[in-house]
């Protein structure tokens, strides 16, 4: 769309009667008011009083009108009761220069009438054939035999394939509230609703008389074309309109519908991006987009995010919904505007849309891609560039399956809220606990908030430390947290008597010492003499000269003694050995009586 419409309105919003609204505000030019007033005096004025309410019937008209020294399209909305008031409303939207009939109808529906849902079922293709045939044969009045709501979409599809040159010849209405004025030479319109006929039977008969000529039939078209190839081209054009496509040839002012039909059979046109919105409103067009032109849907959503969001709110096809979502995500990645309607501090968004958006995003993106996009949306000059915006989006981010462990930057901790809750309640409230669950550096948090905290009861300080201890697996940090408890209570910990440190032994060292000791003992046992040899060491025999021992109280056995005679001889008190007393040992040095026989010995 190449611009916005200039809107003027007649209504009764203050109880002063049907009158121009906002004329003195200086919004629209005098030429716009003059053009609208001229139409009011013809057939597009205040809805007839006999029509009690227009209800769900859209009463829309698109007409080419003079505006100063030029002509332009004007989209008119008429209604009574409900949003239009008791006296009714006539609203006029003037298209900017260069806007053709198809764009004017689309823009008028969005800006002047407001969004309307398309019919649940496509209008019959026979209606499209009737309208195109009537234009081809230049009929002054072309009836569309369906309700005003369905007629709105028939007109939209016809204008998508009709050359501008032919579209300007007609006034396009969903329903005439009264017969057309003398300035309107050719009219295309839907039929009157049954309740209108009941309220205004005479006016209904007058309108019906306008369309007494009846519709154009296929036989009329075949007779006019008089060429089988041209007839096939006409059928193809009807099929293109049924798909909701809009042909680029319609913009050319030098091509008529007849010429387009003759050319169309031999030069089928590829689907263009600008045709996507019309095709999305047509059942056959949706099938074609889903089966053959998914990338085109994504590109259109990327380049037209506002229109794509409006359509996505009601899109029921999962394939088309996914392509529209991916296109919008691409647009959001490159824009500082909040195109997707993400929740922010300034605009929290509606719960229904956020729930719908979460479903669309989780279906269209895998978790890694979703995380990457969310991180990009919090960059500088993006929707979540500030902490308050991230705080507002926290719950919605969790609905996407994202956690603080996946993306710490998306879940900043509200330290001010923790301080406020603890100072106000002197305990850990649920709101404070929610923030504590997001903490990743508990020691740093305590050191930051402790100067601003009032003293906490010891049990609450302990609970706070325990809650933060669960957020770390580092033993050193856990010990540091315990040491910071006094900063929360303001009461120093009681000094405990020092307990002697238990000597800790190294098991390996003990094993090595034991092994070395064992080896040393084994070496000594191996190298030492046997027990018999040790018993004889240090003994001396009698002197060769005087028979006295000069080497102590013991002597070694004589070399010439017989082995059987080798006995230990206990020395006598006077130092001499006594024969026959060899089996009696002395147990002390001479002169002590230690060598006396034990009792019972002879």
């Amino acid at each position: 769309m190449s611009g916005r419409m200039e809107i003027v309105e007649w209504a009764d919003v203050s109880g002063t009667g049907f009158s121009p609204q906002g004329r003195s505000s200086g919004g629209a030019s005098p030429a716009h008011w003059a053009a609208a007033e001229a139409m009011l005096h013809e057939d597009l004025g205040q809805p007839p009083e006999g029509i009690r309410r227009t209800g769900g019937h859209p009463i829309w008209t698109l007409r080419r009108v003079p505006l100063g020294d030029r002509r332009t399209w004007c989209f008119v909305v008429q209604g009574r009761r409900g949003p239009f008031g008791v006296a009714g409303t006539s609203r006029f939207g003037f298209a900017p220069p260069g806007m053709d009939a198809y764009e004017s109808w689309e823009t008028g529906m969005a800006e002047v009438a407001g969004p309307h849902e398309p019919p649940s079922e496509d209008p019959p293709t026979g209606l499209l054939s009737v309208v195109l045939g009537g234009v081809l044969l230049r009929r002054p009045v072309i009836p569309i035999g369906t309700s005003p709501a369905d007629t709105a979409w028939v007109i939209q599809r016809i204008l998508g394939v009709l050359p501008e040159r032919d579209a300007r010849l007609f006034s396009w209405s969903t329903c005439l509230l009264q017969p057309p004025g003398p300035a309107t030479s050719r009219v295309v319109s839907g039929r009157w609703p049954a309740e209108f006929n009941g309220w205004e039977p005479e006016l209904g008969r007058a309108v019906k008389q306008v369309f007494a000529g009846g519709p154009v039939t296929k036989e009329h078209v075949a007779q006019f074309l008089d060429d089988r190839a041209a007839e096939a081209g006409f059928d193809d054009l009807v099929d293109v309109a049924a798909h909701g496509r809009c042909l680029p040839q319609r913009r050319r002012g030098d091509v008529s519908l007849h010429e387009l039909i003759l050319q169309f059979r031999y030069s089928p046109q590829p689907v263009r991006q600008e045709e996507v919105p019309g095709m999305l409103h047509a059942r056959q067009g949706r099938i074609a987009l889903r089966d053959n032109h998914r990338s085109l849907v994504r590109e259109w959503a990327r380049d037209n995010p506002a229109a794509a969001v409006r359509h996505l709110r009601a899109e029921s096809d999962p394939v088309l919904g996914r392509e529209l979502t991916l296109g919008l995500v691409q647009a959001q990645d490159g824009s500082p505007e909040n195109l997707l309607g993400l929740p922010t501090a300034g605009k929290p968004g509606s719960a229904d849309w956020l729930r719908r958006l979460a479903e669309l995003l989780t279906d269209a993106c895998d978790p890694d891609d979703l995380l990457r996009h969310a991180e990009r949306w919090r960059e500088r000059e993006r929707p979540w560039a500030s902490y308050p915006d991230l705080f507002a989006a926290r719950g919605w981010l969790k609905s996407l399956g994202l956690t603080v462990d996946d993306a710490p930057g998306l879940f900043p901790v509200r330290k001010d809220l923790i301080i406020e809750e603890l100072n106000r309640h002197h305990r850990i409230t649920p709101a404070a606990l929610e923030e504590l669950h997001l903490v990743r550096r508990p020691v740093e948090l305590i050191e930051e908030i402790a100067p601003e905290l009032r003293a906490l009861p010891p049990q609450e300080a302990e609970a706070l430390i325990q809650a933060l201890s669960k957020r770390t697996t580092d033993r050193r940090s856990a010990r540091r947290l315990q040491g910071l408890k006094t900063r929360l209570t303001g009461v120093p910990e009681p000094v405990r008597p020092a307990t002697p440190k238990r000597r800790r032994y190294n098991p390996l060292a003990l094993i090595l010492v034991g092994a070395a000791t064992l080896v040393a003992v084994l070496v000594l046992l191996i190298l030492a003499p046997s027990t018999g040899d040790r018993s004889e060491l240090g003994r001396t025999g009698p002197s060769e000269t005087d028979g006295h021992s000069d080497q102590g109280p013991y002597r070694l056995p004589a070399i010439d003694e017989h082995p059987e005679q080798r006995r230990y001889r206990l020395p006598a008190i006077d130092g001499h050995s006594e024969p026959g007393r060899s089996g009696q040992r002395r147990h002390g040095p001479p002169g002590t009586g230690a060598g006396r026989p034990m009792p019972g010995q002879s």
Side-chain angles (χ1 to χ4, degrees), residues 25 56 145 229 234 431-432 508 578:
S25 63
F234 180 84
L508 181 61
E578 298 183 43

Side-chain angles (χ1 to χ4, degrees), residues 186-439:
R186 293 185 173 93
V187 177
V188 178
S189 178
R191 69 187 179 198
W192 258 46
E195 57 266 38
F196 287 11
N197 279 313
W199 295 328
E200 284 279 4
E202 292 185 7
L203 187 57
R205 284 192 294 269
V207 172
K208 185 177 181 180
Q209 187 62 32
V210 174
F211 301 98
V216 171
T217 63
K218 194 169 183 180
E219 288 73 18
H220 293 149
V221 173
Q223 184 179 0
F224 176 83
L225 293 174
D226 194 22
D227 179 19
R228 290 186 177 274
E231 291 180 38
F234 180 84
D235 292 339
D236 287 345
L237 190 61
V238 171
D239 184 66
V240 169
H243 279 74
R245 296 182 58 183
C246 51
L247 299 177
Q249 295 96 319
R250 76 179 193 280
R251 297 178 181 276
R252 295 178 56 184
D254 60 343
V255 176
S256 68
L257 177 59
H258 190 192
E259 293 170 336
L260 180 62
I261 291 171
L262 295 177
Q263 298 172 7
F264 195 81
R265 179 62 178 171
Y266 305 103
S267 56
Q269 298 294 314
V271 177
R272 297 160 57 92
Q273 186 188 117
E274 65 182 65
E275 300 178 70
V276 170
M279 297 177 70
L280 286 172
H281 291 301
R283 184 180 60 84
Q284 297 183 40
R286 291 165 61 82
I287 294 173
L289 290 174
R290 185 180 61 228
D291 295 345
N292 304 312
H293 305 289
R294 296 183 186 181
S295 61
L296 203 62
V297 176
R298 187 182 305 185
E299 293 171 6
W300 174 78
R302 180 196 61 201
D303 298 338
N304 303 272
V309 168
R310 286 197 300 269
H311 185 86
L312 193 58
R313 291 178 183 271
E315 179 56 60
S316 58
D317 186 281
V319 176
L320 294 177
R322 184 176 187 275
E323 297 302 325
L324 290 168
T325 303
L326 291 174
L328 283 169
V329 167
Q330 292 178 5
Q332 185 64 77
D333 284 349
S335 173
E337 302 294 330
N338 190 358
L339 304 176
L340 282 172
L342 302 171
T344 61
K347 294 182 178 180
S350 69
D352 291 341
W353 168 243
L354 293 178
R355 184 165 49 251
R356 168 74 170 154
L357 182 60
E359 293 172 355
L360 291 167
L361 289 173
T362 52
D363 178 67
C365 306
D366 59 50
D368 292 339
D369 287 341
L370 193 57
L371 177 60
R372 178 171 54 83
H373 292 304
E375 290 282 5
R376 181 167 296 181
W377 300 338
R378 76 178 185 91
E379 293 176 356
R380 185 178 180 183
E381 298 184 354
R382 291 292 189 269
W384 291 334
S386 68
Y387 280 166
D389 291 324
L390 284 173
F391 296 152
R394 180 185 293 173
W396 185 77
L397 286 169
K398 291 180 179 179
S399 72
L400 299 180
L402 300 177
T403 65
V404 65
D405 296 327
D406 299 327
L410 293 173
F411 296 91
V413 180
R414 297 185 61 180
K415 301 173 185 175
D416 57 337
L417 188 143
I418 297 176
I419 295 171
E420 180 182 354
E421 292 291 304
L422 292 177
N423 285 341
R424 177 182 299 178
H425 303 284
H426 302 289
R427 61 182 178 84
I428 302 177
T429 62
L433 186 61
E434 180 183 356
E435 301 299 323
L436 294 176
H437 287 163
L438 301 176
V439 175

Side-chain angles (χ1 to χ4, degrees), residues 422-423 426-427 453-461 464 488-490:
L422 292 177
N423 285 341
H426 302 289
R427 61 182 178 84
L453 285 178
R454 300 192 184 100
L456 292 174
Q459 64 272 20
E460 292 300 329
L464 177 60
L488 300 174
T489 61

Side-chain angles (χ1 to χ4, degrees), residues 118-124 146 149-150 153-154 157 281-283:
S120 56
E121 295 184 2
D122 284 359
T146 187
D150 287 347
W153 298 101
V154 171
R157 293 175 194 178
H281 291 301
R283 184 180 60 84

Side-chain angles (χ1 to χ4, degrees), residues 64 129 199 319 408 455 501 529:
R64 190 83 172 170
S129 178
W199 295 328
V319 176
K501 293 184 178 180

